[in-house]
Amino acid sequence: MQPVPAAWLTGPELSLGRRGFRRISRRTLLVDAGLAGTFLLVGLLIDPPSSLLAVVVLVGFTAALAVRRLSPALALGLAWATALVQMAWGLPVLMSDAAILAVLYVTAAYAERAVRWAGLISVGVGALLAAGYLTLQPGLSSLSDANAQATLGRVIWSTVATLVASLAVLGLSWTLGLLMRTWQTARESRVTQQRAVEEQRVAQRSVVVEQERNRIARDMHDVVAHSLAVVIAQADGARYARAQNPEAVDEALSTISTTAREALGDVRILLTRLRQDDAAGPQPVLADLDRLVTQMQSTGLDIEWTTTGTPTTLGSGAQLAVYRIVQEALTNALRHGNAERSVYLTLAWTEGWVAVTIDNAVGVDSSTDHSGEIGHGLPGMRERALLAGGSLAAEPIGDRFIVAARLPAITTSALATPAATVPADQPTAPAAPGAVQ
């Protein structure tokens, strides 16, 4: 003996697994069975069966009532068979005939299209049969007997009135079922729409969170890579100068300590942002370039910073993009470039735009082609420039590596003051490629 399916035990859905039967819950099936039992008892009390056929009619309508939601097609068939037996044997109208209304209701509310149309047809055919049966059934054996007792006009009028009443009663039951079906469909549509809207909100929230995490990852890369490059350069310089210049060791250690503390603070803020959306993260601005250049120069990197044109106001996104691009490019120049040759940093201001160029020499150990390597540096710089409404190009040319970005400005206003400025008509340092990512 096979065990009872778990779905039957928990009561979600029951089905005979055959065509024409609906999936209904165990509770619904028990409720329908209870209503059918009550209907049978009430029928026995109101219309005590006078014959075996009366019992058959009552049982037939009770069965149709019991299975009406499990199988509307079967219920409609049982109702028709029982009604035909009742009319064939000339039984009077019984209380159990009310089950026909419930059957017509479910054919419109729950049945498939074919059974639903069969229910509508049953309304018309059933009304015709009921009108004829109710007109001729009460004690009349034939139409001639009816004519002997009443005029033909009265018989026709009685038939028409009965037909209209039957159509109204049967049609109302079917129409109410159709209205219930329409209401359920509309409710399911609203639920589906609400679910879709909620899923869209969840998806949008996930996209926003993912974008924020990617931005934080870029910031983390910029902070950690820059700080570690400075620490490594200072540590190596201190180790080489320890014997000849002990004072340089103290200066290097001080720089290492300051850089590490700043990096640790930035990393803590970034990690806090991963847990709290409203936490303030590090947002460097254009005025912080002075501190950045000074910090990189303290590592031994020779940076020549020039500015041309009249500085104008940049948006916060553009200022952050400029800072991060310069930070990444200088860090790469320190890690991969030739530290014995100068790095040229240029900010060229024009009407509505600022062009940032970082030009450094390629190091001796960086002559190998690394074009196949994909890291966070160049993609991160390009993405920052694009998000700020600008563009970025980075490529090696000869023995130098050039990073060139162009970002939009807002209004005319003085901003950062570089370490050294040159007149607009004085030529800047020649551009050449530098370090490889």
Side-chain angles (χ1 to χ4, degrees):
M1 181 176 179
Q2 295 182 351
V4 178
W8 285 49
L9 297 177
T10 55
E13 289 183 346
L14 298 176
S15 174
L16 297 182
R18 297 180 181 178
R19 185 179 179 85
F21 288 87
R22 299 176 59 247
R23 292 183 178 272
I24 61 175
S25 65
R26 180 185 296 274
R27 179 180 179 180
T28 301
L29 189 61
L30 293 177
V31 168
D32 288 348
L35 290 176
T38 304
F39 180 82
L40 179 62
L41 293 177
V42 173
L44 291 174
L45 294 175
I46 295 178
D47 295 322
S50 57
S51 63
L52 180 60
L53 287 176
V55 176
V56 171
V57 170
L58 179 59
V59 172
F61 282 128
T62 301
L65 188 65
V67 300
R68 71 188 190 282
R69 287 196 284 186
L70 178 64
S71 176
L74 178 60
L76 185 63
L78 288 174
W80 264 112
T82 305
L84 291 176
V85 169
Q86 180 182 4
M87 290 186 292
W89 291 94
L91 296 177
V93 177
L94 302 173
M95 187 279 301
S96 58
D97 292 328
I100 297 176
L101 303 180
V103 172
L104 291 175
Y105 174 86
V106 297
T107 57
Y110 305 116
E112 299 177 353
R113 182 173 182 176
V115 179
R116 187 163 66 250
W117 283 108
L120 180 60
I121 295 173
S122 298
V123 170
V125 176
L128 287 173
L129 292 177
Y133 180 74
L134 292 175
T135 301
L136 299 178
Q137 186 270 337
L140 301 178
S141 59
S142 64
L143 182 60
S144 60
D145 293 335
N147 289 332
Q149 299 180 21
T151 63
L152 182 60
R154 292 180 60 186
V155 173
I156 294 175
W157 172 254
S158 177
T159 303
V160 171
T162 306
L163 175 61
V164 172
S166 300
L167 280 174
V169 174
L170 299 178
L172 180 61
S173 299
W174 189 88
T175 303
L176 289 176
L178 188 62
L179 291 176
M180 174 58 69
R181 185 187 195 94
T182 303
W183 178 78
Q184 289 179 341
T185 303
R187 184 182 64 175
E188 291 175 359
S189 177
R190 288 194 300 270
V191 171
T192 302
Q193 184 177 6
Q194 291 175 356
R195 187 181 298 113
V197 171
E198 184 62 27
E199 290 176 356
Q200 184 180 10
R201 290 176 180 173
V202 172
Q204 290 176 346
R205 191 180 304 114
S206 300
V207 170
V208 171
V209 171
E210 186 64 25
Q211 290 176 345
E212 180 67 11
R213 289 181 179 273
N214 290 336
R215 193 187 70 80
I216 292 174
R218 292 193 301 268
D219 286 343
M220 186 78 75
H221 168 267
D222 295 340
V223 170
V224 173
H226 165 73
S227 302
L228 288 180
V230 173
V231 168
I232 292 172
Q234 290 289 339
D236 288 341
R239 183 163 53 88
Y240 295 143
R242 178 177 53 187
Q244 297 159 352
N245 188 6
E247 296 179 357
V249 176
D250 293 337
E251 183 179 351
L253 292 177
S254 176
T255 303
I256 291 174
S257 176
T258 302
T259 303
R261 284 194 182 95
E262 292 179 354
L264 181 60
D266 289 344
V267 169
R268 283 176 175 171
I269 295 175
L270 289 172
L271 292 178
T272 302
R273 294 200 60 164
L274 292 176
R275 297 187 295 268
Q276 299 177 0
D277 294 336
D278 56 350
Q283 297 292 335
V285 294
L286 205 57
D288 295 324
L289 284 180
D290 268 331
R291 181 174 57 86
L292 175 64
V293 172
T294 301
Q295 187 182 55
M296 297 302 295
Q297 287 174 335
S298 67
T299 65
L301 193 64
D302 183 14
I303 302 175
E304 296 187 11
W305 179 12
T306 58
T307 295
T308 61
T310 302
T312 58
T313 301
L314 293 179
S316 58
Q319 292 192 48
L320 178 61
V322 170
Y323 183 91
R324 293 303 187 193
I325 289 171
V326 172
Q327 183 185 51
E328 178 67 23
L330 293 180
T331 301
N332 288 334
L334 179 63
R335 294 171 59 192
H336 307 294
N338 186 350
E340 297 179 357
R341 301 175 63 179
S342 298
V343 177
Y344 300 101
L345 169 61
T346 303
L347 269 66
W349 296 89
T350 58
E351 184 176 357
W353 295 90
V354 59
V356 183
T357 305
I358 301 94
D359 175 5
N360 67 276
V362 177
V364 178
D365 297 334
S366 302
S367 58
T368 307
D369 181 18
H370 298 283
S371 59
E373 297 182 1
I374 299 177
H376 292 283
L378 289 180
M381 287 192 292
R382 288 194 182 98
E383 186 175 356
R384 288 185 183 280
L386 290 175
L387 291 177
S391 60
L392 182 139
E395 59 179 350
I397 301 178
D399 63 343
R400 303 189 70 83
F401 194 90
I402 297 178
V403 176
R406 190 168 182 264
L407 300 169
I410 301 177
T411 58
T412 302
S413 175
L415 277 176
T417 303
T421 59
V422 297
D425 58 349
Q426 182 176 338
T428 60
V436 179
Q437 293 292 327

